[in-house]
Amino acid sequence: MNLFTRLTLGVVISTAAMLPVCGGQVKDAAYTDGDFRRISAMTAKILERNHYSGVQIDGKLSERIFLRFFDSLDPARMLFSQADLQKFAAYRQDIGSRIERGEYQFAFEVYELYRQRYREFRAYTQQMLKDKVDFTVDETMPTELDKKPRPSDEIAMRDMWRKRIKNDLLLFRMMDRAAQEDEAKNAGKKSDPKSAAKPVAAVAKKTPEQRILQRQRDIGNDIEKRDRIDILGILLDSMARSFGAHSDYQPPKLSEDFNINMSLSLSGIGATLTSENGYIKVVELVPGGPAAKSGKLKVDDRIVSVVSPEGENIDLIDMPVSKAVQYIRGEKGTVAVLGVLSGSGSAVRRVEIVRDKIKLSDGAAKGEVRSIRRGSREVKVGVINLPGFYMDFDAAMRGDQNARRASSDVAAILKDFERKQVDSVVIDLRRNGGGSLPDAIVLSGLFLAGDPVVQTRSQRTVELERDPDAAMAYSGPLVVLTSKFSASAAEIFTGALRDNRRAVVVGDSRTFGKGTILRVESLDRFNQWFGRSQPAGSLTFEMAMFYRPSGSSVQQMGIAPDIKLPSLTEEMKAGEMFMDNHLPWDAIDAVKCGSFDPELEQKIGILKMMSAGRISADANFKALQKRIGQFREIRNRKYITLHEQKRWEEYIREKKVSDEVEALESESAEKDKGKKQDSDILLTETVNIAADLFMLGKKEK
């Protein structure tokens, strides 16, 4: 039995950060100190003995656990000062070995200070809001507090509180001012009669001060009521994440909360979220979901508010993801009214998305045929959009030969392409975050002839997986479109086709760079050995790494394209290299690869020149370059002004550029109507490259 077969039910691949969501439903009364000691020791021992990194529990690891625990509680670094950390210095070099021995009191000692600090922060806020805040003072605040050192002492910490509260007030004032301008602009306009969405009730708006106090009250209540098993869970999660970027500990939950937390998927709008610096950040849009279809929500956006069914504006800043989900979910046909910050921008925009059911078929492979004119020849290019390497594991384990999987769906699409006499094929993996590793091998084999697909290395062995079938479902020209969000199984597929000279790779400067294989281990079965029935949670950790046939790992560095295209995702700080404690890139011996097209490198040089010529003359790409420049400017901003008029002027500048870009895009789209092009200019250019690749092949013959 090979490594992939053993992992069929235990593999989890995702690019989204999974954070411990607290407020669990398993009550403390069910747990004894002995349970806490046992769960702590089990977690430490399993990680040390099984984690791929081979990291030992020592002073260096303890330092990482220590700092990560404080950051998990206080990611904005505003509630614990450097002086506070010094109070717990006795734990700094041996917290790892303490956990291994079943000692866990550190978690509750620090958490008690955390409770006290938030009480002080609330009291400070209440006092500050009683006075008139001066918004004419020319001062700034860092945009990435999690990258800054903690305040040195209580005086510095309170000054940070003052700036944070002032910034929050400004954020709400800007939102209200922008909303008033929009209402004035839209006054008298007729509503769209085609919209079937249910309207949102109108109620009196709260002042910015009232909204801040309400948010702090809600967060404070959550902090005060948090169960001890969840507090322990934050410490154990900090330990797991100190071993590897994708390792985590999940405390016990009721099934609904657990499932929401594992997927972080918002039922209703179709978005995958995480928590970052107190903001709810969009990691991914579900293909075919309401948010993706609307085009109004983008990856890297931050959702700062949502309007309740009663018309109340709910502030989501500093709110746990699991709780934010409860507000954003809703009945099919209702409108999710969101306040959204773009990237690192300071301008909040109002976004309305009609909620809908997220169908499983929306995430399945889809195919379409596009026609491109090359001289007197009409070239047919088949496009396969593959959002993930999905597989119905339950049906497969039952022996169901018709179990749904990505490879079967793609094979059916290729048969349809054959009937339609397609000349070239594009595989779109831009939003493919991975999935079933076994099916990625089978799917790779549709385009290979018994060639090597992937090498895997565990702590003990290196194994090679080949295409099990020498027959090819499709042998024509092939182009793979990737982005920085193409990860794991998508990188296995891309690397296999590139190393065997089977496909041209197009897209961002690299893929995500996730080259690890994860294992999910339930701690409940170990707990039963001791005659205990209390849920103990689950542990996920890296247990192997995969390598391309060429011997290079995709870990951290990802896969570079043959032809790089300008894109917004290229500008995003996305990928394994930006994750704490990620495993480093390395390489093993190469295996003999196939050489499907010996002339591929020469063809790529020609394709690059042809693509560059089209891009430089394309109005759509000019609009995209302008939007990229705007995004880059916002992303690189290190500080944000706390001067109200300057803040508003920043908003006006950002909105002006955004309006100019939208006007340019609308103008380009109007010109392209007769060409039957859509707004996905990256895919359109990739289709052009695929057509060029076909024509180069014809010239050879």
mmCIF file of all heavy atoms in Angstrom, residues 8-24:
data_model
loop_
_atom_site.group_PDB
_atom_site.id
_atom_site.type_symbol
_atom_site.label_atom_id
_atom_site.label_comp_id
_atom_site.label_asym_id
_atom_site.label_seq_id
_atom_site.Cartn_x
_atom_site.Cartn_y
_atom_site.Cartn_z
ATOM 1 N N THR A 8 -5.688 8.484 1.736
ATOM 2 C CA THR A 8 -6.920 8.850 1.035
ATOM 3 C C THR A 8 -7.936 9.533 1.943
ATOM 4 O O THR A 8 -8.546 10.515 1.571
ATOM 5 C CB THR A 8 -7.564 7.604 0.400
ATOM 6 O OG1 THR A 8 -6.670 7.065 -0.562
ATOM 7 C CG2 THR A 8 -8.862 7.969 -0.288
ATOM 8 N N LEU A 9 -8.112 9.027 3.150
ATOM 9 C CA LEU A 9 -9.117 9.598 4.040
ATOM 10 C C LEU A 9 -8.549 10.631 4.996
ATOM 11 O O LEU A 9 -9.295 11.281 5.718
ATOM 12 C CB LEU A 9 -9.794 8.491 4.855
ATOM 13 C CG LEU A 9 -10.667 7.539 4.046
ATOM 14 C CD1 LEU A 9 -11.260 6.492 4.959
ATOM 15 C CD2 LEU A 9 -11.769 8.292 3.333
ATOM 16 N N GLY A 10 -7.226 10.800 4.996
ATOM 17 C CA GLY A 10 -6.643 11.696 5.981
ATOM 18 C C GLY A 10 -6.053 12.968 5.430
ATOM 19 O O GLY A 10 -5.498 13.753 6.167
ATOM 20 N N VAL A 11 -6.186 13.203 4.126
ATOM 21 C CA VAL A 11 -5.536 14.354 3.515
ATOM 22 C C VAL A 11 -6.448 15.568 3.550
ATOM 23 O O VAL A 11 -7.604 15.498 3.191
ATOM 24 C CB VAL A 11 -5.138 14.046 2.062
ATOM 25 C CG1 VAL A 11 -4.671 15.294 1.356
ATOM 26 C CG2 VAL A 11 -4.032 13.009 2.059
ATOM 27 N N VAL A 12 -5.921 16.676 4.021
ATOM 28 C CA VAL A 12 -6.636 17.942 3.987
ATOM 29 C C VAL A 12 -5.724 18.948 3.317
ATOM 30 O O VAL A 12 -4.585 19.125 3.743
ATOM 31 C CB VAL A 12 -6.984 18.447 5.410
ATOM 32 C CG1 VAL A 12 -7.570 19.839 5.347
ATOM 33 C CG2 VAL A 12 -7.953 17.502 6.076
ATOM 34 N N ILE A 13 -6.182 19.572 2.244
ATOM 35 C CA ILE A 13 -5.369 20.554 1.546
ATOM 36 C C ILE A 13 -6.156 21.838 1.449
ATOM 37 O O ILE A 13 -7.262 21.854 0.940
ATOM 38 C CB ILE A 13 -4.981 20.074 0.140
ATOM 39 C CG1 ILE A 13 -4.046 18.867 0.268
ATOM 40 C CG2 ILE A 13 -4.306 21.179 -0.652
ATOM 41 C CD1 ILE A 13 -3.610 18.328 -1.055
ATOM 42 N N SER A 14 -5.601 22.905 1.931
ATOM 43 C CA SER A 14 -6.293 24.184 1.869
ATOM 44 C C SER A 14 -5.295 25.308 1.955
ATOM 45 O O SER A 14 -4.287 25.199 2.632
ATOM 46 C CB SER A 14 -7.290 24.299 3.024
ATOM 47 O OG SER A 14 -7.851 25.586 3.075
ATOM 48 N N THR A 15 -5.575 26.423 1.265
ATOM 49 C CA THR A 15 -4.718 27.590 1.365
ATOM 50 C C THR A 15 -5.231 28.555 2.415
ATOM 51 O O THR A 15 -4.571 29.527 2.731
ATOM 52 C CB THR A 15 -4.665 28.331 0.024
ATOM 53 O OG1 THR A 15 -5.977 28.772 -0.326
ATOM 54 C CG2 THR A 15 -4.117 27.450 -1.065
ATOM 55 N N ALA A 16 -6.415 28.336 2.951
ATOM 56 C CA ALA A 16 -6.977 29.253 3.921
ATOM 57 C C ALA A 16 -6.422 28.978 5.300
ATOM 58 O O ALA A 16 -6.229 27.847 5.700
ATOM 59 C CB ALA A 16 -8.507 29.124 3.957
ATOM 60 N N ALA A 17 -6.153 30.066 6.055
ATOM 61 C CA ALA A 17 -5.685 29.894 7.424
ATOM 62 C C ALA A 17 -6.851 29.459 8.291
ATOM 63 O O ALA A 17 -7.910 30.058 8.272
ATOM 64 C CB ALA A 17 -5.124 31.213 7.942
ATOM 65 N N MET A 18 -6.665 28.393 9.061
ATOM 66 C CA MET A 18 -7.725 27.908 9.944
ATOM 67 C C MET A 18 -7.406 28.331 11.370
ATOM 68 O O MET A 18 -6.463 27.824 11.972
ATOM 69 C CB MET A 18 -7.840 26.388 9.856
ATOM 70 C CG MET A 18 -8.297 25.915 8.490
ATOM 71 S SD MET A 18 -8.589 24.153 8.475
ATOM 72 C CE MET A 18 -8.901 23.899 6.727
ATOM 73 N N LEU A 19 -8.179 29.267 11.892
ATOM 74 C CA LEU A 19 -7.914 29.785 13.221
ATOM 75 C C LEU A 19 -8.832 29.118 14.238
ATOM 76 O O LEU A 19 -9.964 28.765 13.931
ATOM 77 C CB LEU A 19 -8.142 31.303 13.248
ATOM 78 C CG LEU A 19 -7.280 32.091 12.258
ATOM 79 C CD1 LEU A 19 -7.544 33.575 12.438
ATOM 80 C CD2 LEU A 19 -5.810 31.798 12.475
ATOM 81 N N PRO A 20 -8.359 28.966 15.488
ATOM 82 C CA PRO A 20 -9.212 28.382 16.503
ATOM 83 C C PRO A 20 -10.364 29.323 16.834
ATOM 84 O O PRO A 20 -10.151 30.448 17.217
ATOM 85 C CB PRO A 20 -8.279 28.236 17.717
ATOM 86 C CG PRO A 20 -7.221 29.252 17.493
ATOM 87 C CD PRO A 20 -7.054 29.365 16.010
ATOM 88 N N VAL A 21 -11.578 28.879 16.626
ATOM 89 C CA VAL A 21 -12.744 29.699 16.905
ATOM 90 C C VAL A 21 -13.282 29.317 18.268
ATOM 91 O O VAL A 21 -13.597 28.163 18.517
ATOM 92 C CB VAL A 21 -13.827 29.496 15.830
ATOM 93 C CG1 VAL A 21 -15.044 30.327 16.161
ATOM 94 C CG2 VAL A 21 -13.279 29.884 14.471
ATOM 95 N N CYS A 22 -13.348 30.299 19.153
ATOM 96 C CA CYS A 22 -13.698 29.986 20.533
ATOM 97 C C CYS A 22 -15.192 30.141 20.780
ATOM 98 O O CYS A 22 -15.960 30.469 19.911
ATOM 99 C CB CYS A 22 -12.898 30.875 21.464
ATOM 100 S SG CYS A 22 -11.127 30.614 21.264
ATOM 101 N N GLY A 23 -15.571 29.930 22.037
ATOM 102 C CA GLY A 23 -16.981 29.949 22.379
ATOM 103 C C GLY A 23 -17.589 28.587 22.170
ATOM 104 O O GLY A 23 -18.696 28.437 21.698
ATOM 105 N N GLY A 24 -16.849 27.563 22.533
ATOM 106 C CA GLY A 24 -17.261 26.188 22.258
ATOM 107 C C GLY A 24 -18.493 25.762 23.012
ATOM 108 O O GLY A 24 -18.883 26.358 23.994
#
